[in-house]
Amino acid sequence: QVQLVDSGGGLVQPGGSLRLSCAASGSIRSITAMGWYRQAPGKQRELVATITRSGRIDYGDSVKGRFTISRDNAKNMVSLQMNNLQPEDTAVYYCNADILVRGNFITGSYWGQGTQVTVSS
């Protein structure tokens, strides 16, 4: 009923930039929080950034000052601008959204398929 499609990953040199995008589609009544998480090999999934419908933003400590999250409520989209990327940013990045599906009464947490970001010289 609901699908999240994330895109924009790739290979970039240290100090470079990438922009990730995620679009939610399907039988959506409303979306509360949207955000990005990442998982590096051998590590747990961690918060990158989240943004509420009203625009409140939280960032993981390791990305503050380098990454910027934004959201288009009309298009059910969230983006992540990543600047000054470093090798430790290498991970699979996953889009996440808390979505109220039409006909339901509680929100569910949905995930994109993930997009690989590799930072290497």
Side-chain angles (χ1 to χ4, degrees):
Q1 287 184 310
V2 172
Q3 186 177 21
L4 294 183
V5 177
D6 42 35
S7 61
L11 173 64
V12 64
Q13 293 185 340
S17 299
L18 282 174
R19 185 176 181 85
L20 305 182
S21 295
C22 173
S25 63
S27 187
I28 298 171
R29 180 174 179 181
S30 64
I31 302 178
T32 53
M34 301 186 80
W36 294 92
Y37 292 75
R38 67 186 182 186
Q39 188 166 19
K43 295 187 177 181
Q44 290 186 333
R45 190 171 295 188
E46 65 173 359
L47 167 72
V48 177
T50 60
I51 182 169
T52 66
R53 186 172 183 83
S54 61
R56 190 187 79 183
I57 293 173
D58 288 310
Y59 290 106
D61 288 341
S62 61
V63 307
K64 288 180 180 177
R66 300 187 298 124
F67 291 10
T68 302
I69 190 171
S70 60
R71 175 173 174 170
D72 186 331
N73 291 329
K75 296 181 179 180
N76 291 333
M77 292 185 65
V78 63
S79 298
L80 184 70
Q81 177 65 41
M82 305 185 293
N83 297 329
N84 191 23
L85 283 160
Q86 300 300 317
E88 52 267 33
D89 295 315
T90 296
V92 178
Y93 285 68
Y94 296 92
C95 175
N96 174 260
D98 293 332
I99 298 174
L100 179 61
V101 175
R102 294 184 189 278
N104 287 0
F105 298 97
I106 58 174
T107 59
S109 182
Y110 293 83
W111 294 89
Q113 79 280 7
T115 184
Q116 177 70 46
V117 171
T118 302
V119 185
S120 175
S121 56

